[in-house]
Amino acid sequence: MQLSATDALVHVMVMAAVSDKDVTDREMDRFAALISRWPVFENFDIGRLPEVASSCVETVNKAGLDALLDQIAQTLEPRLQETAYAIAVEIATVDLTLNQEELRMLEMIRDAFSIDRLTTAAIETSARIRHRRL
């Protein structure tokens, strides 16, 4: 099944959230916030979120994570691959801790996309600063 660019971005969001096997309320809240606020999602019907999330999990279970990452990379042009990585980092860092599974998922996403190391470092630093608390 061919993914739309928006569905591919949602798939990245879901992959980042489920990487540690525990989707937190904060992550779910961030899903809604990103979809409602980021311009890239302006044409996405949030009511489709459960359907797209299920499709993501189903694809991983059937074809594997690498196959899904390849499909997403083929779907997204390079500038949207940067956006996808920013989304993954945003979801992974929302609970202020990154465990090994989340770090590994971010590494896999980063490696699947055509993003240079300076850009990934900037995205990661920006998320860390944005989520910082007193």
Side-chain angles (χ1 to χ4, degrees):
M1 174 179 101
Q2 182 61 32
L3 292 174
S4 70
T6 309
D7 285 3
L9 293 171
V10 172
H11 276 57
V12 170
M13 198 182 310
V14 171
M15 290 168 33
V18 301
S19 64
D20 63 355
K21 312 286 189 275
D22 182 32
V23 180
T24 66
D25 289 340
R26 276 190 163 164
E27 288 170 330
M28 294 302 291
D29 290 345
R30 189 56 49 114
F31 276 30
L34 292 175
I35 291 170
S36 68
R37 293 186 186 124
W38 283 28
V40 74
F41 292 110
E42 68 187 357
N43 294 320
F44 183 76
D45 175 10
I46 198 161
R48 291 189 55 243
L49 183 58
E51 168 195 338
V52 177
S54 292
S55 170
C56 175
V57 172
E58 192 175 302
T59 302
V60 169
N61 288 338
K62 286 183 180 176
L65 187 56
D66 289 332
L68 179 57
L69 283 170
D70 287 343
Q71 183 180 15
I72 292 168
Q74 290 173 13
T75 300
L76 298 175
E77 59 184 278
R79 69 185 183 91
L80 289 179
Q81 290 178 10
E82 293 174 352
T83 302
Y85 187 69
I87 288 167
V89 170
E90 188 71 21
I91 295 298
T93 60
V94 74
D95 55 9
L96 305 178
T97 58
L98 285 172
N99 61 38
Q100 284 304 112
E101 293 86 2
E102 290 169 316
L103 289 170
R104 179 65 183 131
M105 179 61 69
L106 290 175
E107 180 182 17
M108 291 176 74
I109 293 169
R110 182 177 59 231
D111 290 348
F113 296 160
S114 303
I115 309 172
D116 66 75
R117 294 295 295 156
L118 282 175
T119 301
T120 59
I123 290 168
E124 293 160 4
T125 300
S126 175
R128 191 171 43 253
I129 290 167
R130 214 174 20 266
H131 293 294
R132 192 171 286 154
R133 296 215 166 105
L134 293 177

